[in-house]
Amino acid sequence: SILLDTQAPADPAVATANPATVTPTNASTVALTWIPGADPDGSGVAGYSFIVDQNPSTLPDTVVEAEGLPASISIAEGSNWIHVRTLDNAGNWTATYHYGPWVRDTVAPNKPTVNPVTTPTN
């Protein structure tokens, strides 16, 4: 029999992220657990293409980086996003799943300045 698979698989989703998104962190990596992409009525998942950057809408290329999803990612100073596409065994790619931002902040705040108190003279 021949299986005709013309439908893209389902995108994966982040189940948990540590540290969480939005809250500033000084961590350089994020630990991730995933709900994997799926292709239940098709040919099965072949792998994923993903990228981490500072743009909320980047599209990853169509080259499989891994058969599984990353357990951790490195993040740079500022806002960081992960973008993931899923490929099935028939060559169908998903649109793209975007998740973030993680806000990395390693810059110490400026020290406050104090104006000296003056005593009025009579």
Side-chain angles (χ1 to χ4, degrees), residues 34-111:
W34 292 90
I35 299 166
D39 195 27
D41 297 326
S43 58
V45 172
Y48 302 92
S49 176
F50 53 87
I51 186 170
V52 177
D53 67 10
Q54 296 187 321
N55 182 330
S57 58
T58 298
L59 298 177
D61 61 23
T62 54
V63 175
V64 172
E65 269 80 47
E67 290 182 12
L69 294 157
S72 68
I73 57 172
S74 295
I75 58 174
E77 188 75 15
S79 294
N80 295 265
W81 297 78
I82 188 166
H83 316 278
V84 182
R85 294 176 107 174
T86 306
L87 175 67
D88 69 15
N89 287 304
N92 302 306
W93 285 95
T94 60
T96 297
Y97 173 74
H98 307 278
Y99 191 77
W102 291 278
V103 181
R104 185 168 184 219
D105 180 3
T106 61
V107 178
N110 293 331
K111 292 181 181 178

